[in-house]
Structure formats: C-alpha cells, structure tokens
Amino acid sequence: NQSVGMVPAGNKTQPGIALMGFVPLAAGLLMGLVSLVLLVACANVANLLLARVSARRREIAMRLALGASRWRLVRQLLTESVLLALAGGGVGLLLVQWLTSLLPATAPKLDFSTVDFAYDFSLDGRVLGFTLAASLLTGVFFGLLPALQASGADLVSALKGDAPTTGGRRRFPMRDVLVVTQVALSLMLLIGAGLFVKSMVYAQEMNPGFESQRMLLAN
C-alpha cells in the first residue's frame, strides 16, 4: 500500500501539502469568502441605486414619454452603474498599491520544512485584468435590476407625481428582498468566521500526546 507522488521542484510548497491538494482547496475557500463579501456589497449598491431611481421617476418617465426606448434608458443606467463599479475598482487598486508595502512585513516567516510561499503582492497584468473583469461584471450585475425596474415604470402615475406602488400581487418589494439577502449572507459569513476562530482555539488547546513545551525543532 505504498505510493510515490511527484511535485515540481519549483513548487514553493511542502510536498506532502501539495500532494494532499491543500493549497488549491484553501485558495478556493478564500475566493468563495471574497465572492460572498462582494455579493453583499453588490446587493447593498443595488438597493441604493433602486432608491436613487425612485427619486428620478419623473425624469425617466418624461424621457419615455418623449419617445426614448426602454433599451436606451437601460443602457444609460447600466453605463452609470458600470462607471461606478470601475471607480470602485480603481480605488481598490490604489489601496492594494499602498498595502503591498505592509503585507510582506506581516506575513509569517516559514521555511521549506512547512510551507515556503513566495509572497508576491506586486500588480501585474493578471491582477489588472481580473480587477477590470470583476468591475465590469459587478457593474452590470448590480445595475441591471434597477435599470429594468426604472424603465418599466408607469408613465401616468410617474408624470403626475404619485407615490410608486409595488403592485397588488407583489408581496415582497425588490428592495426588501435585497435587504434580506444582505442580512442572510452577512449572518452566514459571521457564523463561518466564528466557527473558524472556535476551531483555531480548539486546535491550540488540543493535547498532541507528547510534551510540546520546552522543545526545540531543528532540521
């Protein structure tokens, strides 16, 4: 029941950890957590855009009454949301550029006997391309729903200045659904973080079965 595993010599990871597939699993979990945080932020911005669109009901209704097509209004509102997302991505890149000098100082000092990661936080084409793609996708994602809802408004009530109605059959307005989504995802992330901290505390208090104090590890 013996087997042999091969890893590239240039792989800066302890061979046992590399063969177990721990690094891709950990990276995937971190990307999943980041995606959930991004989803919460998108729901928050979409809710703010819905509130802003409600304040522009008469303007949008006037454009529709003057002959603007629904697709033209959707494109305009999507352009505004994409520009907002690109501005957020640009600010994020500036923060990353500022934090690159601080992160290596806080990185753990590990050698090849455990894990020897190359902490390279420099910005390259892949990071810039990923940031651009993420900004464009999130801009379309959180801007599409407000754009569709604004372009489908009732012209008569909007031009008369009546308060927007949610419709007789819609029990849950979209803004309420977005708020519930934000709370649910945030609660899930907080519970996951609490369980992670609890597991770390248990791991530190675990009895390894031998005396671990006043010991020296050397290679």
Side-chain angles (χ1 to χ4, degrees), residues 85-164:
L86 290 176
V91 173
L93 287 177
L94 292 177
L95 289 176
V96 169
Q97 187 67 28
W98 176 62
L99 290 173
T100 48
S101 59
L102 301 178
L103 288 177
T106 61
K109 301 299 186 293
L110 303 174
D111 56 19
F112 191 72
S113 62
T114 52
V115 179
D116 185 17
F117 286 119
Y119 296 102
D120 185 11
F121 299 108
S122 60
L123 298 178
D124 55 8
R126 294 175 299 175
V127 176
L128 296 177
F130 178 80
T131 304
L132 178 62
S135 300
L136 291 175
L137 289 177
T138 52
V140 174
F141 178 75
F142 68 70
L144 185 60
L145 182 63
L148 292 176
Q149 183 168 342
S151 60
D154 185 9
L155 295 183
V156 177
S157 61
L159 290 175
K160 291 169 61 177
D162 297 337

Side-chain angles (χ1 to χ4, degrees), residues 15-82:
I17 296 178
L19 293 175
M20 288 188 298
F22 173 77
V23 176
L25 177 62
L29 289 175
L30 290 176
M31 286 298 296
L33 292 175
V34 171
S35 301
L36 287 178
V37 175
L38 180 60
L39 188 59
V40 172
C42 287
N44 193 6
V45 176
N47 212 343
L48 294 175
L49 288 180
L50 282 174
R52 184 169 181 268
V53 163
S54 298
R56 299 173 60 186
R57 289 179 67 247
R58 295 196 65 181
E59 171 199 344
I60 295 173
M62 184 68 69
R63 293 189 180 190
L64 289 172
L66 291 176
S69 64
R70 185 178 182 184
W71 172 238
R72 182 180 180 87
L73 287 176
V74 169
R75 282 186 301 172
Q76 175 193 343
L77 296 175
L78 278 181
T79 302
E80 295 177 2
S81 62
V82 168

